[in-house]
Structures are given as C-alpha cells and as structure tokens.
C-alpha cells in the first residue's frame, strides 16, 4: 500500500461518515442536524478539496517528516477547505486526526510493516507524540479548545498526544465487535458512533451545550447501547428520536464524527477487516468525488457537519 492508497481511503472514509444516517446532530444527505451554516454540498466540496492533502501527508510520514512539516501541510489543507466552503469549517477535526493517522500509515507502509491499529497508534506516539504534547500545552483559540480548557476536559491535541485513546480503545473495539456479530456496515458504523458519543468528552458538544449538554449526549448514547445498540430492531427509530433531542438543544458530536471517520478509514485500509474499498477505488482509476460519492437523487439534499481541533493554532 502506498501514499495514494492511504490518502484515497481517507477521502472515502469522510464520505462514509457523511453518508451514515441517522446521525444525531450531524450532517447527512437528508438532514442539517444541528447546523444552519452549511449543507451536504458544502461538505462534498470540502471533501473534494482535501483529496491531495491526505496523499501528501501520507507521503510526509513515509519520508520521516517532522511534526512542523505535518503542521504546515495541515494549515494549507485548512485554507483549501475554507476556500472551497466559503469560509465554513467542515473538516478541521478530520484534517488534524485523520491527517496524523495517514502520516502514521505512510511511515508503516514505508517500512513494509503490517498496517494494524496497534502499529498506527505506536507510530503516532513514537514519531510525533512529544511534539503533540508540546502543542497541547499551547492555549487554544478555537471554540472547542476553549470549552475544553474552561471545563477541565481533555482537548483534541491532548487526545492525540496520548495516541487517540477514544479511537483505539473505544471505536476500534466497537467496530470489530459489531462486524463480528454480523451487523451490516451501516449498523456497525452507527454502533461505533454511539460508543464514541457515550465515552468521549467531546469538546464540540461542550462548546455548544456546556457540561450539561455533553453529559446529556453521553447519557443518551449509553442508553442507546444498553438497549442493544445498533443491533436492536428499533435502533434506527431510537437514533432518529435522539437526533430530534440533539437538534432541539443544538448539540453536535463533531469530535465523535471525526473519530468515526478515522475508524472507517482503518477499515478501508484493511487494518480492521479485509475490505474492497481500496480495490474499488483503484479499479475506477481514482476518486471523482462529485460522481462517485453522491448517490443519484440526493445531489441537492441538505446536510451539515461540525469541526473540532486542528493542526494550526494562532
């Protein structure tokens, strides 16, 4: 697997996250969730703008780049995203988290080692953990980072510096379990999202709803899981009901969405299970985002998403 495979899988994973529905408070092709400032087309333009970035940062990882080089690539990617969306933040968190993981995958692939969640996490910590800890000590000027500091929560930078435990200790086991139980891919993604929502101190939820809003969302997700999660026959109806509650409170678990995308990416590169994702993209000769990802009849449907933390801090 090379940097192009890794990067194309990241682009596809962002679409996986976008396409999942229902998704309380978050973008889908049929709902704006808890947002008013963007829609599904904005989101698709953002995904398209990030295609070169994920390939580039995987290449940087493969060549042993220092953190400041990854950061520079992330800053440029955010600028392209904002240009594509008219100044709307759709994927700041994914630029940060998924970009770091692509760099880790690039380093592993260059060493001809097997891509596993364990190897990805170890590489992330070994290569850039120290720099991420230094970055985490810098006060954030972003809304989620400010909320995390005010409420004493772990910021996205701190989460990354610890090797993204919510991804590797919550999301990956949840996805593996759902697949092993025979859930469909969509149901497995939904189950993974709710496991993340139940445990992650999501700074986006904290920014939008304060500590009360964060705890409300976590309780709702725990109750969903306790009643059987996505395997339950009424799971879709219950997720839709939770979405109504989230939208009434303007809650949006953007951090969990970013981590779901990262988990979908690991599935696509074969780190979680064998997948046809890369083969399908290769046969098509690369991704044409607007043609491949937007289902027929849904091109004009509306949906939105939220961002989280980012490589660059003022």
């Amino acid at each position: 697997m090379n940097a192009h495979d890794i990067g194309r899988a990241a682009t596809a994973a962002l679409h996986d996250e976008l396409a999942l529905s229902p998704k309380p408070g978050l973008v889908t092709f049929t709902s704006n969730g808890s947002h008013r400032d963007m829609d599904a087309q904005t989101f698709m333009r953002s995904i398209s703008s990030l295609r070169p970035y994920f390939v580039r940062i995987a290449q940087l990882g493969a060549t042993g780049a220092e953190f400041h080089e990854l950061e520079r690539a992330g800053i440029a990617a955010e600028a392209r995203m904002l240009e594509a969306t008219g100044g709307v933040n759709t994927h700041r968190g994914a630029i940060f988290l998924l970009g770091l993981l692509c760099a880790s995958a690039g380093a592993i692939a260059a060493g001809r080692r097997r891509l596993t969640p364990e190897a990805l996490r170890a590489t992330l910590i070994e290569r850039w953990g120290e720099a991420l800890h230094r970055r985490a000590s810098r006060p954030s000027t972003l809304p989620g980072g400010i909320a995390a500091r005010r409420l004493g929560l772990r910021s996205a930078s701190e989460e990354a510096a610890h090797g993204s435990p919510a991804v590797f200790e919550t999301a990956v086991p949840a996805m593996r379990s759902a697949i092993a139980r025979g859930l469909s891919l969509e149901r497995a993604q939904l189950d993974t999202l709710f496991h993340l929502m139940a445990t992650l101190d999501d700074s986006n939820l904290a920014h939008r709803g304060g500590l009360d809003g964060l705890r409300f969302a976590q309780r709702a997700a725990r109750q969903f899981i306790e009643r059987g999660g996505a395997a339950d026959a009424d799971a879709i109806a219950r997720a839709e009901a939770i979405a109504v509650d989230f939208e009434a409170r303007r809650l949006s678990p953007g951090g969990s969405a970013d981590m779901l995308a990262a988990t979908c990416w690991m599935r696509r590169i074969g780190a979680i299970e064998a997948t046809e994702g890369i083969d399908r993209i290769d046969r098509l000769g690369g991704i044409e985002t607007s043609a491949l990802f937007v289902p027929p009849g849904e091109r004009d449907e509306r949906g939105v998403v939220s961002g989280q933390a980012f490589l660059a801090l003022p």
Side-chain angles (χ1 to χ4, degrees):
M1 181 170 294
N2 58 34
H4 290 277
D5 295 328
I6 292 164
R8 289 197 298 267
T11 306
L14 291 181
H15 182 267
D16 290 338
E17 187 276 325
L18 171 64
L20 179 64
S21 178
K23 211 166 55 239
L26 294 164
V27 60
T28 72
F29 284 113
T30 57
S31 171
N32 278 2
S34 297
H35 302 269
R36 299 173 182 171
D37 60 344
M38 50 186 144
D39 59 27
Q41 288 301 297
T42 311
F43 206 61
M44 293 300 298
R45 290 195 299 272
S46 177
I47 293 173
S48 183
S49 76
L50 295 176
R51 289 169 56 195
Y53 163 67
F54 291 116
V55 174
R56 175 58 181 155
I57 202 163
Q59 291 169 337
L60 288 171
T63 58
E66 298 293 331
F67 181 76
H68 68 86
E69 296 178 78
L70 307 186
E71 190 170 38
R72 190 180 304 122
I75 292 169
E78 183 184 23
R80 287 193 299 272
M81 173 195 74
L82 293 174
E83 182 179 3
T85 63
V88 177
N89 165 31
T90 48
H91 284 111
R92 184 174 284 152
I95 290 171
F96 178 55
L97 173 61
L98 195 47
L100 286 171
L101 291 175
C102 283
S104 298
I108 293 167
R112 299 187 179 278
R113 292 179 290 147
R114 186 182 177 196
L115 282 167
T116 66
E118 296 76 18
L120 287 163
R121 189 179 191 185
T123 301
L124 174 62
I125 294 171
E126 290 166 8
R127 293 286 184 98
W128 304 291
E130 203 171 301
L132 284 164
H133 275 293
R134 288 195 299 270
R135 181 185 181 279
S137 68
R138 291 153 49 189
S140 175
T141 60
L142 297 171
I146 293 169
R149 185 172 68 250
R150 184 180 72 250
L151 298 173
L153 306 174
R154 180 181 284 176
S155 70
S157 293
E158 291 172 315
E159 180 79 6
H162 286 87
S164 297
V167 172
F168 291 103
E169 298 173 19
T170 297
V172 169
M175 179 69 82
R176 283 174 165 166
S177 172
I179 291 170
R181 286 180 284 137
L183 270 65
S184 69
L185 179 57
E186 183 178 9
R187 292 278 181 133
Q189 291 170 350
L190 185 65
D191 212 58
T192 301
L193 175 64
F194 271 88
H195 275 81
L196 283 163
M197 287 164 51
T199 57
L200 178 67
D201 282 339
D202 193 322
S203 60
N204 199 16
L205 285 170
H207 164 63
R208 284 177 158 265
L211 195 58
D212 287 345
L214 171 62
R215 300 307 181 215
F216 171 86
Q218 289 174 328
R219 284 195 302 273
R222 284 197 300 270
Q223 290 167 2
F224 178 87
I225 293 166
E226 288 166 1
R227 291 183 56 183
D232 183 70
D234 296 326
I236 301 302
R238 289 193 291 111
E240 289 172 344
I242 293 170
V244 171
D245 289 341
F246 274 37
E247 290 168 22
R249 293 168 171 80
R250 296 189 62 251
L251 297 175
S252 176
S256 294
D258 295 331
M259 293 180 183
L260 173 63
T263 311
C264 292
W265 169 78
M266 278 188 265
R267 185 195 65 82
R268 282 187 170 272
I269 64 171
I272 290 180
E273 61 165 357
T275 176
E276 295 180 357
I278 296 294
D279 292 337
R280 178 174 178 235
I281 293 167
D282 286 346
R283 286 198 300 273
L284 290 169
I287 294 175
E288 178 56 48
T289 302
S290 61
L292 175 60
F293 286 153
V294 182
E298 294 184 339
R299 191 174 298 275
D300 294 325
E301 297 286 1
R302 296 177 61 82
V304 291
V305 77
S306 58
Q308 191 191 7
F310 177 49
L311 285 166
L313 287 176

